[in-house]
Amino acid sequence: ALTAIRKTTTLPVCVGFGIKTAEDVKNMTATGADGVVVGSSIVTKIDESKGDASCIASYVAALSAATRQ
């Protein structure tokens, strides 16, 4: 699908929905995505950690690091 989208635009292509782990992020960037949108899993992490900022920051840092692997 990304190949087909790239044929129609020069804009960055981002993917989302169901992205929960650093491995998910790594897989999406490996397929050629310019960016990955993560939403619900961060909200879930906030709930599970009772708003623990360091826990949430670690989770987001791991997702972000996966974009550079």
Side-chain angles (χ1 to χ4, degrees):
L2 287 176
T3 303
I5 293 168
R6 291 227 181 265
K7 289 179 182 178
T8 64
T9 185
T10 58
L11 296 170
V13 178
C14 297
V15 296
F17 297 103
I19 308 298
K20 296 180 177 125
T21 67
E23 190 65 25
D24 292 337
V25 172
K26 185 177 174 183
N27 289 338
M28 291 299 104
T29 55
T31 63
D34 296 305
V36 180
V37 179
V38 181
S40 299
S41 67
I42 295 173
V43 172
T44 299
K45 186 61 73 176
I46 292 167
D47 183 50
E48 290 174 350
S49 71
K50 308 289 189 241
D52 180 341
S54 64
C55 179
I56 299 159
S58 293
Y59 178 67
V60 172
L63 296 175
S64 178
T67 65
R68 298 182 290 276
Q69 294 180 353

